[in-house]
């Protein structure tokens, strides 16, 4: 009798996905720190500052 077990993510794949998400988050945060004031001012000029 064969039973199929549910395959889970291997620790290596989990680590790679987590690392990729951390890198994307870090780059987004770095971009916001560098250009946050310009982004906010352009939204305020367009009347969309309440969306933040």
């Amino acid at each position: 009798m064969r039973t199929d077990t549910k395959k889970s993510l291997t620790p290596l794949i989990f680590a790679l996905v987590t690392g990729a998400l951390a890198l994307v988050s870090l780059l987004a945060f770095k971009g916001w720190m560098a250009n946050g004031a310009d982004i906010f001012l352009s939204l305020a000029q367009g009347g969309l500052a309440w969306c933040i």
Side-chain angles (χ1 to χ4, degrees):
M1 181 172 166
R2 269 176 54 165
T3 58
D4 292 327
T5 59
K6 187 176 183 180
K7 293 183 180 180
S8 63
L9 291 175
T10 62
L12 178 61
I13 293 174
F14 183 71
L16 288 174
V17 169
T18 304
L21 288 174
L23 181 63
V24 168
S25 298
L26 179 67
L27 291 175
F29 182 73
K30 183 180 177 185
W32 180 261
M33 292 303 294
N35 301 314
D38 295 333
I39 293 170
F40 180 75
L41 288 176
S42 66
L43 288 174
Q45 288 173 352
L48 298 176
W50 57 271
C51 292
I52 295 179

